[in-house]
Each structure stands twice: as C-alpha cells, then as structure tokens.
Amino acid sequence: MTTLTATEPDINEIHAARLNHLQALEAESITILREAVAEFARPVMLYSIGKDSSVMLRLAQKAFYPGKIPFPLLHVDTSYKFPEMITFRDEYTREIGAKLLVHRNEEAIAAGASPYKLGTQNCCGLLKTRSLLDALEEGGFDAAFGGARRDEEKSRAKERVYSFRDAAGQWDPKNQRPELWSLYNSRLRKGESIRVFPLSNWTELDVWLYLYAEKIPIVPLYFAKTRPIVMRGGAMTLVHEGMQLFPGEKVEQIKVRMRSLGCLPCTGAMRSEADTLPKIIEELITFRRSERENRAIDHDEEGSMEVKKREGYF
Amino acid sequence: MSTSVTTATEESGVTRTFEAFLEAHLEQEMLRFTTAGSVDDGKSTLIGRLLHDTKSVYEDQLAAVQKSRVNRAANGHVDFSLLTDGLKAEREQGITIDVAYRYFSTARRKFIIADTPGHEQYTRNMATGASTADVAIILIDAKAFAKAGGLLPQSRRHTYIASLLGIPHVVAAVNKMDIVDYSEASFTAIRREFEALCAQLGLEGVEMIPVSALEGDNVVTPSARMPWYSGPTLLEYLETVPLARAETAGPMRFPVQLVLRPDANFRGFAGQVARGTLRAGDRVMALPSRRESTVRRIVTYDGDLAAASYPQSVTVELADEIDLSRGEMLVEANSDAAALPDVSNRFRAMVVWMHEEPLVVGRTYIAKHTTRTVRATVRKIDYRVDVNSLEHGPSDAIAMNEIAEVEFETNLPLFFDSYKACRWTGSLILIDALSNATVGAAMIVAPIADTSTGETRRPALVLLPGRADLAERVQDALGSCGERAVVIDDALIPDSAVTAVVRALDLAGVIAISSRKLTAEALAAIESFAPRAVRVEDGTDDEAILNSLTEQR
Ligand SMILES: Nc1nc2c(ncn2[C@@H]2O[C@H](COP(=O)(O)OP(=O)(O)OP(=O)(O)O)[C@@H](O)[C@H]2O)c(=O)[nH]1
Ligand SMILES: [Mg+2]
C-alpha cells in the first residue's frame, strides 16, 4: 500500500532514478506508437528494411507486448533493392510474426523506369513516392509510421512527430499544426492522413547504440566486407547480378559497408573496416560526414529533400 | 531496456577506451532546451555556433552552408543560422518560420535543441518547441536593446510564455556583444531590466551570459574580450544545470492509453507514468469509477518490473476485473484527498491562442487532455494579459498569440492537477471541431467549484414530439455550432432502448434528437443520469426552436 509521505523528496535519489537517454527515447517512442494505434482507424508501418526500421519494429514489439504488433508492415519495393535486403525482410518479418505487405509500381517498373533513364528525381517520384501514395490509398490507411529521424536532413529537422498530409499526400512545411507536450492531434477529414515518426528525436548514434544494447539483427550490408565495386558518378556503387557496366568502368574488390540502405544504383558504399557493431559505433564517432551524403537523391539541388517531402515522399 | 555493456568485451580488438565511451554514452542523461527571443536576435546563429564549436556539424553540411548563395553574417563569417534554417522559405526570407530540432552530445549529456522562431506571427511554433524543454535560452540583442531603450515586446512575450510553460530553468544570453564593444555597461543595463521582468514573473535562479554568437565568445569557449565576466560559458551552463524534474516525485498518475488483450488470459493497461512511481503490489484506484484494485504485475517486453517511474512506458495488470479503459486514470488508493487529482468538468486555465480565428465565449472546442478527448466550452474569459505591462484586462475574444485566463466546461469530467503541480496532467490542447486545426494550448490553474444550479448544460436529448420533419434541421443547426448531434428515430431502436441509447450518446458527448413521444417513466430515467438535460420542444415556431437551441451554444 502506498501512502503519501510529507517529507521532501531526496534530490540525489531523484537524480539516480532518471532514465538514461536511450531509455527516455524508448519511452517516448512507445507512447507515440500506442497513441497512434489508439486513435487512428487503420495505421500501417512503413518498413524500409534499414537500421531505423529495425529499431522502430523492436519498439513496436515492446509497445504492444505481450500482444502482437497490431498493424501491418508495408514495404515499397522499387525493384532496385539489394537482394540481401529482400532476404532479410522475408526472414525477419516471418520470425517475429509480423504481417508484411509489399507494394511495387508494376506499371512503371515494366516500362523500365530507372535513375539512368529518368534521373534520380523522377525515378524516386515514380517508384517510391507514387508507389507509396498508391499503396496508402489502396489500403485505406489513415496513418503511416515512418522511421525518419530529424537529425538526418535539414528539412526533416523541421517536421512534427505527427506530420499532417492533405488529401493529395502533400506536406505543407509553412503551415504545420502546433504540437505541444506529448498531446498529438490525430483528427482528420476524409482522404487526409498523418505520417507518424516515432524516432523523431533519435540520432544516428542513438540508433546504433540501441541496436547494440538490444541485440537487434540488421541486414549484413551494414557490416564491412570485401565486395565488388565500380566508381560511378563519384560514388562507390556495389556491383550486382544483371548490372550493366558503362564503357570504361572497372570492377574492383574493396572492403566496404553501407551506411544507409536505399536502392542499388543510388546508394554509395563507403570504405570501412567496421565489421561489428562496436566497430561501426567507433567509426561513427570519428566520422565527420553525414550519413545521407552517400545517397544521390538528396543533393540533386539545394532543398531537394524538402521538395520531395512536400510531394509526399517519406 | 537493458543497458548492460558487458557484451562489449566479446568483440576482441575493441579497445578499452571505446568500452569506456560506450558505457558513458549508454548512461548519458538527456537535456532538452529551446531558444526564445525576438526576431533577428541571433538564436539560429547561436545554435549553429554551438553545434560548430562542439564539433557536431558534419563536414559536408558545413561545406553546403559555406557554398550557399545566402549569407547574412557580417565580416566574412560563415552564416551559422543556415545550419538550422532548413526550409527554402526560411533561407529566402532570412527568418526562422518553424522549430528546427537539432541534436548533439558532449561527454556529459545528450542535448535536444529546439530552435524556435522569434517572429510574432509564429509564436505557436515557439510554444511547440518550448513545451517540452528543460531549459529555455532567452536571447537578447544588445544592440537592439540600446536602440529601443529597453527589452523588445517579443522578448517579454517569450519570457512570459517560458514562465507559463513552467520551463524549469531560464538562462538569458545577451547576444551581439561584439557590436557593443564587449562593454560591461551595456550588459549591466540589460541585466537590470531583465532581472526586474523575472522578478515580476516569479522566475528564479535566472543566469545571464554575455555572448557573441557570430564570434563565438562565451558560447563554448570562454571570452578573453570580456574579462569582467567570470560566470560559465553557455555550454558549461547546459552541461551542469541540475536536471531534477518535479514529475519524478509526487503522487502517482497513470493515464491509460490502451487496453491490451492479446488473449483471454491477459488484460493489461498500457500507458506512460505521468508522475511518481507505480509499484507491483500497490493498491490503486481507477478514475472515474473510483473502483480499487491491486497492481498484480508491471509488464514489459524486457521482463516484469518491480516499479515504474515517470516517464516510463509500461503495461499494468490488475488483480481484479475492474472497469477501466483509454482516457481513464490509475492513481494511488487510500491516499488523502490532497494527493488525488481534481475530478471536475469545470476549470480555469491559462490559454495561449494560436489561430487566426479568435477564441470566443460560448464556442465549443475539442480538448485533448492526457489520453482523454472531450468537448470543452468556453464559459468565460477571466482576463487577458498585456504582454508588455503584464497587466490583466477584460476581453470577450482572444486573438492569435494572445494569452488569457479562461473558464472551461467539458462534457465529461477530466482528472487533472494544476499545470504547476504536474505538466502532464495539467496541460491540454484545443482543437477546432470543423477544421481540426490545433488552435490553443491550455495550462490548468484550478478547478471551479460546481455552481451550475440553474445553468444550462449541453442537452442529452432534444425531444420534438411528432416532428420528424424538424429533426434533421435541428441536427444541422447543432452541427453548425460545433456540437455533435444525431437523430435516433431509426426503426431498429425500439422505444424501450431509447434510455440506453441516450445514455451511450451522452457519454460520447453526442446530443440525441428524437421525434418520438416518450413516456414519463422514460423521461425520468434519462433525467436520473442527466439532470436538466432533456429539452422538450413542442412549440409551433420552428425558427424560434432552432434559435433557442443554438443561441447558448
Ligand atoms: N554582429 C553580430 N551579428 C549577429 C550575431 N548573432 C547573430 N547575428 C546576425 O543577426 C542576424 C539574425 O540572426 P539569426 O540567427 O537568423 O536570428 P534569429 O534570432 O534566429 O531570427 P529568427 O529566428 O527569425 O527570429 C544575422 O544577420 C546574423 O548574422 C552576433 O553575435 N554578432
Ligand atoms: Mg532563427
């Protein structure tokens, strides 16, 4: 039985009882996940197979334990994903008993959409953004969880935890709903939706520390290994089956890892010796370059991520 | 979650220093801070400088800033504000429009920064960034102070909002000291006026630091150009300010977010501890039912816990099957009345209004408080605060960015504490029922004793005997003034079920409309749970009926 004590609280005890920053972030993320499940009619989780998705998935397991994750996972497959990603996706989601939906813009894929033919902007527009908006509409989803973090990019740094999208799926960065305390506004009219970002306040380092502390499995491409590489557009591109080499391109064997996982043609590898999580973390803290640097899509032009996000990109 | 680092040793070749790093990082605590102040005081520049001097900016990001076509910094300096002003419109207009969240950590702490806009038009975004802060850095532009002969209105407004939001620590950074020749006299003049403002607002322990965001003085590195100042740099202050939050102690509050029922054997109440500590074996009481039970288990994915404290997210299993759902609350049983939250549907609160369309008396808004969503009607505006003089004046509408004390009445009772006593159970947001915009933020001051005798409450049932033709129009009229109302003349609802249907709708905050002719017994049954809440309209003037129903709404 608890009764109120009239004595002053002991400051040292309070201090000792404080959560460390990962526990505090975890508690916040779980609250966000539960709140969205309580208030939205049909939530879905965007599952990109990357490290952030892996963290988000573990947080979802925690939020609804001992129950199962009460919403499906949606993977938007551009057909350019690394084969290791697809294998990992299918095995891991089966293992944890999650429901997986895969959506592809088959029409554009059949028409041969590629970054070489269309440029990265248009390719992403068709295979990611369009495909995602179609998938959300077909599924009738009113909320979609995404693993984006605010430390990734300067327009993401501006986004709310609950990011409102109009009926066309678009973000209006100049007119976002105020978001105070942890009181999230989930009210929508027909056709509108909300992107929910439970990892908003996590940094790249937090994600790696958490993967390590929680022993969460990730796609092997994150670990350094000697792999076949060609230099293309200034980036190290992984050579894969069926890839056409341009004249003058030469395949080299280099020890590399991927810092973030996107599509094969547009995600550059980086030289690294880090083949374990602690080594990756060690490498990260001595690093002076941001993780999205190796992705072609972000620097098409200044503010290109903001443009993509306005149009409905995650 | 487990934070053991013993597994670090299983990787051979990883150095001891790294283990120490990992251990330190896993145990780091988190501090959230926000910037505030008038437009162009240098908030974004200061944050950029802080990030740069703590080596938290990636090379490619810095290179992009150096390359940028825009540069508003003087003397060939890098324009650090571009590190946080991430929207195109912000770079074009040279102002911050919405909060930017940035992150960095030092050996001591992990920091979450909310860099907020100073422009009055975007006060709502300042409030967004400040609502979760442990520390507010109020910037004061030394040059602008000298020019205006005092603090700018926006500096006062933001300091006032910081005090209203109960941000535990406030520090003033007196910026642009480079323009005033690093003079002590300029700093002292500002200090006098700012300290007077803090005294007026009841802000205690306010530290003041002279800085130059542009040149970097006293941000991370102590300044050699201001020998007269011997206090901490801004970073030292942020690394050492004590972090005890009031919510860690005090009577326990556990708002229920979700009921988890994975199978027939388990029924758990998921939520985040909003204050105090919940222990397995504790006697607890559910609100509003006031039924008691014992905490059987505190369940998490990582195993059962003996206790959970603010702000942990857990799932509680009780020993008894008691009625409890989302929007309700667990508190300690057997505690004296003073330790219980107020349970009331009338309270007064300080409101920061955030929408172009003003708050007006009589309007009903949707209010979200903890995990509970209700309808809240503005009964009275007690006073509006003049942010310059801090004086109270009368008003019957509150315009955007204004602050006022307002009396609300909700359709269902809330379980709350004053905002001063507990941020989580004392705060609510107001949402417009038609546009769904978040229009206001409210901080509860105190409950209002129920003096509602004779006053009208929202009807539970509007009865229009024999007037099926009028029912739809009444429904539309009530809808247009923000009420939810529904006609219950459906043939599948027998007269015998009407009492139950009205009860269910009333609990959900919906007005029932019917053209049935009900028996006196049925009306008495409804009156028993909703006194004075049945309106019988049997007049012949339809317009008069519609007007009388909508005029108090
Ligand atoms: N000389 C001098 N100029 C400064 C200093 N700090 C900022 N500035 C300049 O002041 C102007 C405004 O700086 P910002 O950082 O954008 O101001 P802000 O407070 O973030 O403005 P809003 O976010 O729009 O309210 C820019 O031209 C800066 O270069 C300083 O310490 N000294
Ligand atoms: Mg700014």
Side-chain angles (χ1 to χ4, degrees):
Chain A
M1 184 186 95
T2 314
T3 45
L4 237 203
T5 48
T7 51
E8 277 285 297
D10 177 354
I11 291 291
N12 288 324
E13 200 174 291
I14 290 174
H15 224 71
R18 276 186 72 91
L19 304 186
N20 70 43
H21 79 283
L22 284 181
Q23 291 168 322
L25 288 170
E26 180 187 77
E28 178 182 76
S29 301
I30 288 175
T31 295
I32 294 166
L33 284 156
R34 286 173 171 171
E35 201 56 21
V37 163
E39 294 205 321
F40 291 103
R42 280 181 70 79
V44 66
M45 178 174 280
L46 274 295
Y47 178 61
S48 74
I49 327 177
K51 61 181 192 309
D52 305 305
S53 284
S54 295
V55 167
M56 187 164 60
L57 206 46
R58 172 60 56 88
L59 291 167
Q61 287 178 285
K62 291 195 177 194
F64 306 102
Y65 179 86
K68 281 207 180 306
I69 298 175
F71 42 76
L73 313 184
L74 170 66
H75 179 225
V76 176
D77 186 1
T78 59
S79 79
Y80 287 108
K81 297 296 172 190
F82 296 89
E84 290 94 325
M85 290 171 71
I86 305 298
T87 311
F88 180 90
R89 176 193 76 190
D90 294 342
E91 282 173 6
Y92 190 58
T93 53
R94 195 178 319 121
E95 184 191 315
I96 65 170
K99 180 167 188 250
L100 175 72
L101 309 172
V102 176
H103 192 272
R104 289 156 59 110
N105 185 348
E106 295 293 1
E107 203 179 313
I109 293 170
S114 85
Y116 309 114
K117 232 165 91 176
L118 303 172
T120 55
Q121 290 249 354
N122 291 332
C123 184
C124 274
L126 279 175
L127 297 186
K128 282 182 161 171
T129 309
R130 186 71 263 147
S131 185
L132 169 66
L133 295 178
D134 288 347
L136 294 179
E137 196 181 325
E138 278 167 32
F141 299 115
D142 53 353
F145 297 104
R149 291 174 283 109
R150 286 170 174 156
D151 82 325
E152 278 178 67
E153 198 272 336
K154 58 184 183 292
S155 66
R156 289 204 162 148
K158 293 272 165 184
E159 199 160 5
R160 302 276 190 258
V161 171
Y162 271 37
S163 185
F164 178 83
R165 303 302 162 104
D166 64 16
Q170 297 185 341
W171 180 53
D172 181 1
K174 281 181 68 180
N175 200 13
Q176 302 192 79
R177 287 178 175 174
E179 190 169 85
L180 289 99
W181 302 291
S182 40
L183 294 172
Y184 303 106
N185 178 352
S186 59
R187 298 189 59 95
L188 296 173
R189 282 184 282 197
K190 212 168 152 37
E192 297 168 341
S193 64
I194 286 182
R195 306 280 168 88
V196 179
F197 298 114
L199 303 186
S200 286
N201 286 324
W202 295 58
T203 64
E204 190 185 7
L205 179 60
D206 296 330
V207 165
W208 287 113
L209 288 170
Y210 193 75
L211 290 169
Y212 171 70
E214 295 281 321
K215 304 192 179 67
I216 299 171
I218 48 172
V219 181
L221 286 166
Y222 282 115
F223 297 105
K225 199 178 135 188
T226 305
R227 298 186 166 97
I229 294 291
V230 289
M231 290 304 294
R232 184 172 285 185
M236 289 191 279
T237 305
L238 217 62
V239 177
H240 58 278
E241 244 184 63
M243 175 174 168
Q244 288 193 357
L245 293 185
F246 296 133
E249 282 183 337
K250 197 173 97 240
V251 179
E252 293 172 81
Q253 296 290 329
I254 305 178
K255 191 159 184 186
V256 293
R257 68 179 191 87
M258 314 300 288
R259 193 167 170 199
S260 70
L261 291 182
C263 290
L264 269 161
C266 294
T267 312
M270 57 181 272
R271 275 179 205 275
S272 171
E273 294 294 325
D275 50 11
T276 64
L277 280 176
K279 285 188 196 168
I280 291 176
I281 294 169
E282 195 172 15
E283 190 183 85
L284 190 69
I285 54 174
T286 52
F287 241 44
R288 308 274 5 114
R289 308 182 85 78
S290 66
E291 69 189 299
R292 299 194 74 87
E293 194 200 30
N294 296 324
R295 290 215 194 171
I297 57 163
D298 296 353
H299 12 231
D300 297 341
E301 60 165 292
E302 198 179 348
S304 70
M305 179 60 93
E306 181 183 335
V307 173
K308 273 204 192 62
K309 288 182 72 67
R310 283 165 175 272
E311 288 164 355
Y313 182 76
F314 243 82
Chain B
M1 161 209 120
S2 128
T3 57
S4 144
V5 292
T6 47
T7 48
T9 49
E10 73 196 22
E11 317 286 356
S12 59
V14 175
T15 60
R16 286 194 74 80
T17 43
F18 175 67
E19 269 176 52
F21 162 84
L22 205 54
E23 191 147 3
H25 263 263
L26 289 171
E27 288 312 319
Q28 248 178 356
E29 49 178 24
M30 190 156 91
L31 180 118
R32 297 175 192 247
F33 68 90
T34 183
T35 59
S38 197
V39 67
D40 277 351
D41 282 350
K43 296 177 291 296
S44 301
T45 308
L46 180 75
I47 294 312
R49 167 60 72 181
L50 195 58
L51 293 171
H52 177 265
D53 290 4
T54 53
K55 314 240 176 318
S56 315
V57 183
Y58 289 122
E59 279 168 12
D60 55 308
Q61 292 174 341
L62 192 61
V65 165
Q66 280 161 342
K67 263 198 339 237
S68 169
R69 286 180 294 268
V70 187
N71 185 341
R72 297 182 304 129
N75 318 332
H77 281 280
V78 176
D79 186 349
F80 284 128
S81 71
L82 297 177
L83 284 170
T84 61
D85 287 342
L87 297 178
K88 276 188 152 176
E90 293 180 324
R91 291 191 297 273
E92 281 158 18
Q93 296 174 39
I95 58 165
T96 305
I97 292 174
D98 210 334
V99 202
Y101 293 92
R102 298 293 308 232
Y103 307 81
F104 76 104
S105 56
T106 65
R108 293 194 172 162
R109 279 177 179 164
K110 171 190 163 131
F111 297 97
I112 300 183
I113 312 170
D115 180 33
T116 72
H119 200 293
E120 181 180 343
Q121 189 185 343
Y122 305 116
T123 303
R124 58 176 185 271
N125 297 335
M126 176 272 174
T128 291
S131 66
T132 50
D134 300 303
V135 175
I137 305 176
I138 312 250
L139 264 85
I140 302 168
D141 178 337
K143 171 99 177 297
F145 182 93
K147 202 167 152 208
L151 289 170
L152 301 175
Q154 200 53 2
S155 310
R156 291 177 164 272
R157 185 193 308 272
H158 279 187
T159 311
Y160 181 45
I161 294 177
S163 78
L164 269 186
L165 285 171
I167 300 176
H169 303 280
V170 172
V171 55
V174 177
N175 191 29
K176 307 199 187 179
M177 289 303 292
D178 55 305
I179 313 188
V180 296
D181 299 326
Y182 298 102
S183 106
E184 182 173 12
S186 308
F187 180 72
T188 309
I190 295 171
R191 194 175 68 202
R192 272 203 209 100
E193 190 171 327
F194 192 73
E195 279 176 352
L197 174 64
C198 290
Q200 220 179 339
L201 292 173
L203 283 172
E204 283 166 22
V206 176
E207 190 91 44
M208 294 189 71
I209 308 177
V211 301
S212 167
L214 191 72
E215 306 275 352
D217 299 79
N218 287 337
V219 179
V220 171
T221 340
S223 172
R225 290 181 278 209
M226 289 179 273
W228 45 266
Y229 175 77
S230 58
T233 63
L234 184 63
L235 181 65
E236 273 163 18
Y237 173 86
L238 293 170
E239 282 189 311
T240 53
V241 61
L243 257 179
R245 285 299 299 258
E247 286 84 357
T248 319
M252 186 274 293
R253 303 282 184 260
F254 186 78
V256 175
Q257 252 190 312
L258 264 185
V259 181
L260 298 180
R261 206 168 311 169
D263 56 54
N265 301 322
F266 185 87
R267 183 158 166 264
F269 304 99
Q272 190 167 15
V273 183
R275 186 174 68 184
T277 300
L278 177 74
R279 290 182 190 80
D282 274 359
R283 275 304 274 178
V284 287
M285 179 167 82
L287 292 175
S289 72
R290 301 186 73 90
R291 299 282 287 276
E292 294 188 9
S293 182
T294 304
V295 175
R296 177 188 288 162
R297 289 169 63 202
I298 301 174
V299 181
T300 79
Y301 178 91
D302 302 295
D304 284 8
L305 302 178
S309 300
Y310 163 84
Q312 276 177 291
S313 287
V314 294
T315 297
V316 177
E317 194 187 9
L318 297 178
D320 311 275
E321 281 273 328
I322 63 170
D323 185 22
L324 183 62
S325 52
R326 175 174 166 81
E328 303 185 343
M329 189 183 279
L330 284 177
V331 298
E332 288 152 8
N334 310 323
S335 49
D336 54 48
L340 289 175
D342 290 301
V343 179
S344 170
N345 66 343
R346 300 191 47 164
F347 55 89
R348 49 174 59 97
M350 296 306 296
V351 171
V352 180
W353 195 246
M354 308 194 285
H355 203 261
E356 286 85 358
E357 210 176 298
L359 170 145
V360 287
V361 174
R363 271 293 296 270
T364 297
Y365 301 94
I366 293 165
K368 191 168 177 191
H369 171 259
T370 65
T371 57
R372 196 168 172 83
T373 302
V374 298
R375 303 178 75 76
T377 304
V378 176
R379 286 297 175 221
K380 191 174 162 219
I381 296 172
D382 292 335
Y383 57 83
R384 184 179 62 191
V385 182
D386 177 324
V387 292
N388 272 312
S389 63
L390 298 176
E391 273 165 17
H392 299 175
S395 179
D396 45 29
I398 304 301
M400 183 153 96
N401 302 325
E402 289 188 333
I403 297 162
E405 188 185 275
V406 175
E407 294 185 16
F408 289 99
E409 179 172 346
T410 54
N411 64 325
L412 295 173
L414 297 180
F415 333 116
F416 59 85
D417 296 280
S418 75
Y419 184 79
K420 279 211 169 73
C422 182
R423 264 213 246 198
W424 284 43
T425 53
S427 54
L428 50 123
I429 56 168
L430 300 166
I431 299 168
D432 185 278
L434 291 176
S435 70
N436 292 331
T438 305
V439 290
M443 289 145 276
I444 297 176
V445 177
I448 300 172
D450 191 8
T451 51
S452 61
T453 16
E455 241 181 89
T456 46
R457 135 204 221 282
R458 177 180 42 70
L461 172 65
V462 176
L463 211 51
L464 311 159
R467 291 296 312 275
D469 57 313
L470 191 58
E472 291 283 337
R473 286 180 64 199
V474 167
Q475 179 176 318
D476 292 345
L478 287 169
S480 69
C481 49
E483 291 288 0
R484 284 184 300 169
V486 60
V487 179
I488 55 163
D489 288 348
D490 190 293
L492 289 178
I493 303 173
D495 278 356
S496 59
V498 162
T499 311
V501 168
V502 171
R503 170 68 170 157
L505 290 173
D506 188 47
L507 287 173
V510 180
I511 303 171
I513 303 164
S514 177
S515 62
R516 296 167 198 257
K517 294 182 176 121
L518 294 182
T519 61
E521 286 92 322
L523 288 177
I526 295 171
E527 282 283 345
S528 72
F529 64 78
R532 301 185 307 277
V534 179
R535 301 243 329 214
V536 183
E537 297 288 350
D538 45 13
T540 48
D541 181 349
D542 292 357
E543 293 310 316
I545 291 177
L546 292 171
N547 285 340
S548 80
L549 279 168
T550 51
E551 73 189 353
Q552 306 128 347
R553 305 276 110 217

